[in-house]
């Protein structure tokens, strides 16, 4: 007998093994048609795979969010099948689902072209129409290796030997096409929605190693229906318009060049935007009881060894070799590293002098310039750089204070995000990664403390297994922007390990020394990346308080130049960021240029305005203008330009 417990608590019993598809058909034709995947005791399971034991059964339907990953994984397999049918001799490697689609890596002597996409997509649709059954088969390692070697598929033949010993090895068959895969998959190709599209080509290396053969990667996207696909393609169009790299040039905010790869050349307007964000964050941290410090850029490897970063993070560090004796002798050579993070330095500040339990919590902040090596191909404008500044802070506290500090931090973070225009924020709980410092007992303690504190703060979260920092579990705060994209920015990490490694202590009320808990936290993440997100969030049309130039004074004729300078001086005195446009150009041309520059307001002045002490106010995106007395116009803009939370 097999007893299956459904989500509503009802139990269905069967004389022998049964498939989830059969259970769905028994419940009703609607569910049988909608079902895409099963979960057996929480484990994803093919609909047509027999269940031979008592279990909890859940059916994932097409309309459920969880179906997307399955759809995209199956789309990758259908892509690979189509490519091998159209281009014999092409070898397959890996084809996973991604956040918004899928890709498959191929090895082929001749290059693919985007012109091939139409034929490949057509063949993919034909494979869906064939409704080919997808069957799960268990093979031995030797059978898999021999099968792929005989087919000339050397990459798959190599990879099967890398799978963990004792792991069940599965092959998925689609008609005459077969692939090594853990699954699960749809019961047939006919269940795959045709809402897919191939997007781009890229290069890759086998197993991510530049010394190994180069592969060709075909990216695609796949959705539950055409409506979702069209909405996604529209989002991509909008994202292209909002691309911070394009707007950075257009608005004269920053540039990057080969001589400083991964670093930013901030222009005056971009640096004004940066400083405004920094000024806001400094004020919020001071209000929340943080003290600001500054720690060195270059630090001897000895500290990084004690902290654990030398072993766990060295590949991402920029290292300087210094000959202290000047004679080239090995014993005089010291290795220094540009700091990739601020935490070891903050522990050194904490350790100066004796700390009492009465001193805790100590909230130590630093706008710390950090450097991390990122491969050239991973660099992406402001979003992925090698040189950046974190809005970093560490809270040294007792275990009893974790809960209150977590709640206060979440409240602060949510308030900051709201001020920057983000109100849709999700939280992920990331637990221990495979490579980590500290014992399992310490990790059990840290994970339990962070979970309890998060729940006590009333914050809902989803689990993100294995994605914690190497020294502790963390919360990740994910923003959703104006066009529906998610950005992970803030973090809160509980660390029992680093205070132990670096011998940080405080004196408790019983006269004994104890280790503080260290809460690593950031809100923006890095200023560079967050500003990139802001540029795209607002499409360059920043709110008045953030805008690099808040008002432009544009003259109709040169006769008004003197009055324009008076208006500009009055604006500056009121604290507004202003520029004058006294060029000998037509006023409509000037207004268009300031519109392209996303200037929130333009004060148009001519002989009449000079005589009457007024300005003609033009707003970004508006066609009408409003004639106001100068003092009134400035008062309105000054109010709009107030920094959120300012007294």
């Amino acid at each position: 007998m097999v007893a299956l417990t459904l989500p509503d608590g009802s139990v269905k019993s069967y004389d022998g093994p049964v498939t989830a598809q059969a259970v769905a058909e028994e419940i009703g034709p609607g569910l049988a048609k909608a079902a895409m995947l099963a979960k057996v005791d929480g484990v994803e399971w093919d609909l047509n795979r027999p269940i031979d034991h008592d279990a909890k059964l859940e059916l994932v339907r097409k309309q459920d969010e969880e179906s997307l990953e399955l759809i995209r994984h199956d789309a990758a397999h259908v892509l690979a099948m189509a490519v091998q049918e159209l281009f014999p001799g092409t070898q397959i490697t890996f084809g996973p689902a991604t956040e918004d689609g899928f890709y498959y890596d191929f090895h082929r002597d001749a290059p693919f072209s985007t012109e091939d996409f139409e034929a490949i997509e057509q063949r993919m649709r034909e494979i869906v129409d064939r409704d080919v059954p997808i069957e799960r088969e268990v093979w031995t390692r030797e059978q898999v290796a021999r099968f792929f070697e005989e087919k000339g598929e050397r990459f798959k033949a190599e990879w099967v030997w890398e799978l963990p010993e004792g792991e069940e090895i599965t092959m998925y068959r689609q008609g005459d096409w077969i692939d090594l895969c853990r699954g699960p998959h749809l019961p047939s190709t006919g269940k795959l929605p045709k809402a897919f599209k191939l997007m781009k080509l890229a290069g890759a290396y086998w197993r991510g190693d530049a010394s190994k053969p180069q592969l060709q990667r075909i990216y695609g996207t796949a959705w539950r229906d055409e409506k979702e696909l069209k909405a996604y393609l529209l989002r991509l169009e909008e994202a292209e318009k909002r691309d911070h790299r394009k707007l950075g040039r257009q608005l004269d905010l920053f540039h990057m060049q080969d001589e400083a790869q991964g670093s930013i050349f901030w222009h005056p307007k971009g640096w004004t935007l940066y400083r405004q964000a920094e000024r806001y964050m400094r004020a919020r941290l001071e209000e929340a009881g943080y003290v600001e410090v500054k720690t060195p850029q270059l630090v001897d490897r000895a500290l990084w060894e004690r902290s654990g970063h030398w072993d766990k993070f060295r590949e991402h560090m920029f290292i300087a070799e210094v000959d202290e004796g000047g004679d080239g002798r090995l014993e005089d050579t010291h290795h220094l590293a540009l700091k990739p993070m601020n935490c070891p330095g903050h522990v050194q500040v904490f350790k100066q002098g004796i700390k009492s339990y009465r001193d805790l919590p100590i909230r130590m902040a630093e706008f710390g310039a950090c450097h991390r090596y990122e491969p050239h191909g991973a660099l992406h404008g402001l979003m992925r750089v090698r040189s950046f500044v974190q809005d970093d802070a560490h809270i040294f506290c007792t275990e009893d204070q974790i809960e209150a500090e977590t709640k206060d931090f979440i409240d602060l973070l949510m308030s900051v995000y709201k001020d920057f225009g983000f109100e849709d924020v999700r939280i992920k709980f990331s637990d221990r990664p495979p490579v980590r410092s500290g014992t399992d007992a310490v990790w059990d303690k840290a994970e339990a403390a962070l979970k309890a504190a998060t729940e006590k703060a009333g914050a809902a979260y989803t689990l993100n297994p294995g994605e914690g920092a190497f020294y502790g579990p963390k919360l990740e705060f994910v923003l959703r922007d104006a066009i529906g994209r998610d950005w992970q920015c803030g973090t809160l990490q509980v660390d029992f390990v680093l205070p132990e490694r670096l011998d940080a202590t405080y004196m408790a009320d019983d006269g004994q020394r104890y280790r503080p808990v260290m809460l690593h936290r950031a809100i923006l993440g890095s200023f560079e990346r967050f500003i990139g997100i802001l540029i795209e969030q607002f499409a360059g049309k920043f709110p008045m308080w953030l805008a690099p130039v808040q008002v432009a004074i544009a003259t109709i004729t040169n006769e008004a130049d003197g009055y324009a300078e008076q208006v500009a001086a009055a604006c500056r005195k009121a604290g507004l960021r202003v520029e004058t446009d006294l060029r000998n150009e037509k006023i409509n041309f000037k207004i268009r240029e300031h519109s392209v520059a996303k200037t929130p307001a333009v004060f148009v002045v001519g002989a009449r305005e000079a005589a009457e002490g007024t300005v003609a106010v033009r707003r970004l995106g508006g066609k009408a203008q409003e004639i106001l007395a100068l003092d009134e116009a400035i008062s309105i803009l000054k109010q709009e330009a107030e920094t959120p939370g300012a007294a």
Side-chain angles (χ1 to χ4, degrees):
M1 291 284 290
V2 174
L4 300 178
T5 304
L6 303 181
D8 64 2
S10 62
V11 178
K12 287 190 171 291
S13 298
Y14 300 91
D15 292 334
V18 63
T19 66
Q21 184 67 47
V23 176
E25 289 169 356
E26 181 183 331
I27 293 172
L31 181 59
K33 183 178 180 181
M36 307 284 277
L37 174 70
K39 285 187 173 181
V40 176
D41 288 333
V43 178
E44 292 185 342
W45 202 272
D46 305 275
L47 285 177
N48 54 10
R49 179 182 173 187
I51 307 167
D52 60 4
H53 58 281
D54 294 351
K56 293 180 180 178
L57 175 65
E58 180 184 350
L59 293 169
V60 177
R61 302 163 300 168
K62 180 180 177 181
Q63 61 263 42
D64 296 329
E65 194 71 21
E66 291 170 280
S67 70
L68 274 172
E69 184 174 355
L70 177 70
I71 288 168
R72 289 164 180 167
H73 191 182
D74 276 60
H77 276 225
V78 170
L79 165 63
M81 183 176 178
V83 165
Q84 290 199 307
E85 286 184 0
L86 290 169
F87 305 97
T90 301
Q91 294 185 61
I92 56 175
T93 62
F94 298 129
T98 64
E99 185 177 356
D100 52 15
F102 60 93
Y103 68 79
Y104 212 107
D105 287 344
F106 300 97
H107 186 269
R108 178 173 177 247
D109 292 335
F112 288 111
S113 162
T114 53
E115 294 177 1
D116 298 322
F117 284 2
E118 185 177 350
I120 296 172
E121 286 178 359
Q122 180 57 38
R123 182 58 60 92
M124 290 174 70
R125 286 188 284 270
E126 290 172 10
I127 292 169
V128 172
D129 288 337
R130 291 178 209 165
D131 197 18
V132 180
I134 302 175
E135 299 165 313
R136 179 182 186 271
E137 301 176 3
V138 178
W139 291 27
T140 66
R141 199 179 304 267
E142 292 74 18
Q143 286 174 320
V144 173
R146 185 165 58 252
F147 172 81
F148 282 118
E149 285 168 358
E150 290 174 355
K151 288 189 66 178
E153 295 273 11
R154 62 189 177 97
F155 299 98
K156 289 288 189 181
E158 174 188 324
W159 178 247
V160 71
W161 296 107
E162 301 295 324
L163 298 178
E165 286 292 335
E167 179 176 309
E168 187 175 61
I169 297 174
T170 53
M171 300 276 271
Y172 277 82
R173 185 185 298 275
Q174 290 176 191
D176 295 331
W177 188 83
I178 192 166
D179 196 4
L180 171 66
C181 185
R182 286 191 177 93
H185 284 281
L186 294 166
S188 71
T189 60
K191 291 275 278 188
L192 179 68
K194 291 183 181 178
F196 51 72
K197 181 177 177 58
L198 301 183
M199 303 299 293
K200 63 179 180 179
L201 285 166
Y205 291 104
W206 171 235
R207 301 174 72 173
D209 186 339
S211 68
K212 296 186 182 297
Q214 189 163 13
L215 308 174
Q216 298 183 66
R217 178 172 294 178
I218 298 180
Y219 282 96
T221 189
W223 299 85
R224 289 170 288 200
D225 54 42
E226 282 292 327
K227 183 178 178 182
E228 286 187 344
L229 174 61
K230 288 178 181 177
Y232 171 72
L233 296 177
L234 281 173
R235 283 201 304 274
L236 286 186
E237 286 182 24
E238 185 62 29
E240 188 175 350
K241 295 176 190 173
R242 294 169 179 253
D243 189 320
H244 72 281
R245 295 165 299 178
K246 173 183 172 184
L247 288 170
R249 291 190 299 272
Q250 178 184 323
L251 304 181
D252 194 23
L253 301 177
F254 67 91
H255 83 274
M256 305 178 80
Q257 62 189 60
D258 289 343
E259 290 82 357
Q261 291 183 3
S263 298
I264 313 302
F265 291 84
W266 290 103
H267 298 190
K269 289 181 181 178
W271 191 239
T272 298
L273 172 61
Y274 182 107
R275 287 190 301 114
Q276 185 65 10
E278 183 184 60
R279 187 180 299 119
Y280 165 82
M281 285 305 304
R282 179 170 281 117
R284 294 303 307 267
L285 292 178
E286 288 176 355
E287 182 185 25
Y290 287 77
V291 293
E292 189 173 340
V293 299
K294 197 72 174 174
T295 57
Q297 290 289 107
L298 272 173
V299 180
D300 193 280
R301 67 176 284 179
L303 180 61
W304 302 115
E305 287 173 342
R306 294 201 303 274
S307 71
H309 290 89
W310 193 261
D311 290 334
K312 302 291 193 302
F313 209 77
R314 183 180 176 185
E315 64 191 63
H316 300 294
M317 299 168 76
F318 287 98
I319 298 168
E321 191 174 280
V322 181
D323 180 5
E324 297 286 6
D327 53 11
R329 292 192 304 170
L330 188 62
E331 57 267 30
D332 291 332
T333 299
H334 283 248
H335 290 93
L336 307 174
L338 282 170
K339 64 177 178 180
M341 52 201 55
N342 301 302
C343 29
H346 288 193
V347 177
Q348 305 315 300
V349 176
F350 177 86
K351 287 174 63 179
Q352 299 305 300
I354 297 172
K355 298 297 185 296
S356 162
Y357 70 95
R358 293 189 182 91
D359 298 320
L360 304 184
I362 294 175
R363 306 181 189 98
M364 192 180 296
E366 178 175 7
F367 297 134
C370 298
H371 294 80
R372 295 180 188 173
Y373 174 73
E374 297 282 357
H376 177 266
L379 299 175
H380 180 73
L382 298 177
M383 304 302 194
R384 196 77 176 266
V385 292
R386 291 173 175 169
S387 174
F388 57 94
V389 175
Q390 292 180 308
D391 70 315
D392 202 10
H394 296 91
I395 302 170
F396 297 90
C397 64
T398 67
E399 290 183 37
D400 291 342
Q401 293 169 333
I402 292 175
E403 187 177 296
E405 290 302 310
T406 296
K407 182 182 185 305
D408 288 349
F409 172 69
I410 292 174
D411 289 345
L412 173 63
L413 173 140
M414 293 296 187
S415 172
V416 168
Y417 287 166
K418 185 175 181 181
D419 285 348
F420 278 110
F422 300 99
E423 300 200 31
D424 189 347
V425 183
R426 291 113 198 264
I427 303 175
K428 295 181 180 180
F429 185 98
S430 300
D431 60 14
R432 66 194 73 185
V435 178
R436 57 185 181 270
S437 291
T439 65
D440 285 344
V442 168
W443 274 87
D444 290 342
K445 184 179 180 181
E447 288 171 352
L450 184 56
K451 275 186 182 176
T454 307
E455 289 165 1
K456 191 74 173 179
Y461 62 85
T462 58
L463 290 175
N464 192 25
E467 294 298 320
F470 76 82
Y471 46 75
K474 64 181 178 179
L475 299 181
E476 297 181 345
F477 298 87
V478 181
L479 311 177
R480 180 154 289 181
D481 72 8
I483 59 173
R485 297 171 303 176
D486 290 341
W487 303 95
Q488 190 268 309
C489 294
T491 60
L492 175 66
Q493 303 164 11
V494 175
D495 184 3
F496 288 89
V497 174
L498 199 59
E500 176 78 30
R501 294 186 70 109
L502 297 181
D503 194 28
T505 63
Y506 69 92
M507 193 73 73
D509 57 0
D510 62 2
Q512 300 297 311
R513 288 184 178 274
Y514 294 91
R515 303 290 184 198
V517 181
M518 193 173 179
L519 304 182
H520 306 245
R521 46 110 297 172
I523 296 176
L524 308 187
S526 80
F527 278 93
E528 287 76 7
R529 182 169 177 270
F530 195 78
I531 288 172
I533 294 168
L534 286 176
I535 293 170
E536 298 195 2
Q537 162 78 357
F538 294 112
K541 300 176 183 177
F542 300 109
M544 186 70 78
W545 73 278
L546 277 174
V549 176
Q550 294 168 324
V551 58
I553 316 301
T555 54
I556 298 173
T557 66
N558 290 343
E559 295 174 2
D561 287 359
Y563 180 60
E565 294 289 6
Q566 293 173 30
V567 171
C571 288
R572 291 190 186 98
K573 186 176 181 180
L576 295 171
R577 295 186 288 275
V578 60
E579 68 178 18
T580 55
D581 187 348
L582 311 181
R583 294 174 297 168
N584 187 23
E585 300 283 359
K586 292 185 181 298
I587 190 61
N588 286 339
F589 175 81
K590 293 182 180 182
I591 289 171
R592 277 197 303 274
E593 286 215 333
H594 290 295
S595 178
V596 169
K598 317 290 186 187
T599 307
V602 178
F603 286 176
V604 178
V605 295
R608 178 186 298 176
E609 286 77 18
E612 298 176 355
T614 60
V615 291
V617 182
R618 297 286 296 259
R619 297 288 191 157
L620 179 62
K623 294 183 178 178
Q625 67 179 23
E626 185 178 13
I627 307 298
L628 295 175
L630 176 58
D631 289 347
E632 183 183 0
I634 290 175
S635 176
I636 291 171
L637 259 60
K638 182 178 179 181
Q639 187 174 356
E640 293 177 10
E642 279 189 4
T643 301

